[in-house]
Amino acid sequence: MCGIVGYIGVREASRVLIPGLKRLEYRGYDSAGIAVLHDGKVSVRKKAGRVQELASLIRALPIGGHVGIGHTRWATHGETTDENSHPHLGGNGEVAIVHNGVIENYVNMKNFLLQKGYTFSSQTDTEALVNLIAYHYAKEPENNGKNRFVESVRKALLHVQGTYGIAVLCKDHPGEIVAARKGSPLIIGLGDNENLIASDASALALKTSRVIYLKDGELALVSDRSHRVI
Ligand code: GLU
């Protein structure tokens, strides 16, 4: 179980995520990656190896945008490869996830999704969860007064056996990150016109002590100026 950082606000997301991941390095990890949402598209940079190598990759191939999620992985399912590093994308790239923990029933989940035509590019348990979120997102009605993104994450999590701390992006919801936890820590750091998500208080570099500790089983919708725990 390793590190998560999420950022939404006025600053360039990658400039907050990379230092945040560096602050989580002390926990140990084997791979690192970030996903940033910009102009209706989720871009991912990820790599087996050190955060420093990810930072070099991002210098060579920058990703702009003010909403993003980052991860340091400690592999439990699948080898230490670039493909198995997080973030993982679901469906046709409409959702992206970073995950700490273990999805114990991922084989059943994956078999169900393969039958429905979903494809997989990693050996991780996490990719089954992000595709299940994409599956629920596709099924969820658009205008029933509920937040379609939140509902799809909530419904997918009902099927999970195991542990998770997750942060999720959706390309149709550029002003929002959904975070949730069960058996794996997750906190929200509240700033001025910016908010962060992290698995560990040491990753937060906000000039604030306003920190919310999500309780086990809680889900939060986080935007740059607000947060709602559900
Ligand atoms: N089970 C996931 C994987 O192996 C997440 C591991 C972690 O918590 O870093 O990719």
Side-chain angles (χ1 to χ4, degrees):
M1 209 185 293
C2 232
I4 286 178
V5 191
Y7 177 79
I8 184 159
V10 286
R11 290 187 273 169
E12 189 93 350
S14 65
R15 291 183 190 275
V16 181
L17 296 176
I18 294 294
L21 292 178
K22 283 191 176 149
R23 274 183 228 103
L24 291 174
E25 282 192 295
Y26 77 95
R27 298 174 60 91
Y29 67 102
D30 55 48
S31 329
I34 67 169
V36 175
L37 182 51
H38 186 53
D39 275 349
K41 193 170 164 276
V42 180
S43 302
V44 176
R45 303 281 184 271
K46 58 184 187 175
K47 241 187 135 7
R50 313 300 300 167
V51 175
Q52 197 48 52
E53 292 169 54
L54 174 68
S56 304
L57 175 69
I58 293 165
R59 267 197 300 279
L61 286 171
I63 35 176
H66 300 275
V67 188
I69 52 178
H71 190 252
T72 49
R73 177 180 188 231
W74 194 314
T76 65
H77 292 68
E79 291 149 32
T80 301
T81 61
D82 294 350
E83 291 73 25
N84 287 339
S85 308
H86 299 212
H88 290 286
L89 298 177
N92 294 316
E94 51 270 25
V95 281
I97 196 170
V98 289
H99 165 227
N100 284 348
V102 170
I103 313 293
E104 284 160 14
N105 57 335
Y106 84 100
V107 174
N108 286 347
M109 227 180 241
K110 189 167 175 173
N111 287 338
F112 168 79
L113 290 159
L114 284 168
Q115 276 171 17
K116 297 282 176 194
Y118 285 77
T119 56
F120 289 78
S121 57
S122 83
Q123 305 158 313
T124 62
D125 50 341
T126 304
E127 201 181 9
L129 175 57
V130 74
N131 271 321
L132 193 64
I133 294 171
Y135 167 79
H136 282 287
Y137 189 73
K139 280 204 334 184
E140 195 64 33
E142 264 182 62
N143 298 311
N144 66 350
K146 291 187 175 168
N147 182 315
R148 188 180 170 199
F149 177 28
V150 171
E151 282 304 292
S152 59
V153 177
R154 198 183 59 77
K155 285 185 180 164
L157 290 177
L158 293 176
H159 299 279
V160 172
Q161 287 161 20
T163 56
Y164 57 81
I166 57 168
V168 190
L169 296 181
C170 177
K171 73 175 174 58
D172 304 331
H173 293 250
E176 296 172 345
I177 300 176
V178 173
R181 65 156 290 206
K182 190 179 151 199
S184 191
L186 213 56
I187 60 178
I188 307 171
L190 305 175
D192 292 327
N193 299 331
E194 60 179 4
N195 288 320
L196 273 102
I197 293 157
S199 52
D200 182 320
S202 63
L204 299 177
L206 285 172
K207 292 185 192 74
T208 176
S209 54
R210 287 182 292 158
V211 173
I212 292 164
Y213 289 82
L214 282 186
K215 295 194 189 81
D216 224 34
E218 279 182 343
L219 180 147
L221 176 63
V222 182
S223 70
D224 55 357
R225 287 157 199 254
S226 68
H227 68 281
R228 183 155 59 91
V229 178
I230 298 157

